[in-house]
Amino acid sequence: MANVDSPGATRDDAIEIAATIAAKWRDRPDMLIPVLHQIQALAGNCVEADIAKIVSQEMRVPLSRIHDVLSFYSFFSTKKRGKVIIRLCKTAPCRIKGAQDVLEAFEKELGIRAGETTSDGAFTLETCECIGACEVSPAALVDDTLYGNLSPKEVSGLISSLRERM
Ligand code: FES
């Protein structure tokens, strides 16, 4: 399936993608979260207001329910994010092992603060609660890949290798 990050893709493409996915699950509100995950991955790592409306119409799920889901789960975003999302754990076990220093290294390397996206649209840096990898703290998820035992000095190399894979 197309992706809105594909060359030449337009906003209409994103809406069409969302409508096609959501229409497959009409009257299946139990599928709302997986549908939103799939759409988010294909529509710029976010579910913006116009996309949420299309999902509501196609699935026949109240828009208010969709807004509730999008605001409750931290993995969803309603504003556009980068192609790669770095989510650094900030919960106590990771914090004790130096997560703040790692976060500052990411911020310096990317030139952004946590919660922001690089101007080239490549990276979004976020903090999050425990990701279940406390035994390798400090830990981060880069999209769906876990990175553990992070240290500030390896952040630059990690960003370089992620850029090479884009
Ligand atoms: S506290 Fe950071 S992964 Fe659990």
Side-chain angles (χ1 to χ4, degrees):
M1 183 170 285
N3 184 313
V4 295
D5 292 324
S6 307
T10 66
R11 191 70 195 152
D12 286 346
D13 294 331
I15 288 171
E16 194 181 323
I17 289 167
T20 303
I21 294 168
K24 284 189 206 155
W25 300 103
R26 183 160 293 162
D27 298 323
R28 287 287 308 275
D30 57 308
M31 290 300 292
L32 180 58
I33 290 174
V35 164
L36 289 173
H37 266 298
Q38 191 180 357
I39 289 171
Q40 176 169 265
L42 294 167
N45 270 327
C46 66
V47 182
E48 292 178 286
D50 53 348
I51 300 280
K53 197 169 164 198
I54 290 292
V55 173
S56 170
Q57 289 166 358
E58 295 296 333
M59 289 186 75
R60 296 187 185 141
V61 172
L63 191 54
S64 59
R65 170 80 184 123
I66 294 175
H67 288 314
D68 287 348
V69 168
L70 293 176
S71 59
F72 184 79
Y73 294 101
S74 65
F75 274 82
F76 290 122
S77 175
T78 54
K79 62 177 196 197
K80 193 153 172 49
R81 295 185 289 183
K83 287 181 188 157
V84 173
I85 299 177
I86 299 166
R87 299 167 60 86
L88 184 67
C89 174
K90 61 169 187 183
T91 304
C94 280
R95 218 172 43 236
I96 290 164
K97 298 283 280 296
Q100 182 61 33
D101 291 339
V102 175
L103 175 62
E104 286 169 16
F106 273 115
E107 289 179 332
K108 188 169 171 221
E109 184 66 28
L110 295 170
I112 56 173
R113 305 295 302 271
E116 295 178 347
T117 298
T118 54
S119 58
D120 62 359
F123 295 97
T124 293
L125 178 63
E126 297 180 347
T127 57
C128 63
E129 301 302 329
C130 179
I131 52 176
C134 317
E135 69 282 1
V136 291
S137 57
L141 280 174
V142 177
D143 291 334
D144 293 329
T145 303
L146 176 68
Y147 287 81
N149 298 312
L150 287 165
S151 73
K153 65 179 185 318
E154 64 191 309
V155 165
S156 179
L158 173 59
I159 295 297
S160 296
S161 73
L162 291 169
R163 280 197 192 282
E164 281 167 19
R165 282 186 246 157
M166 285 182 181

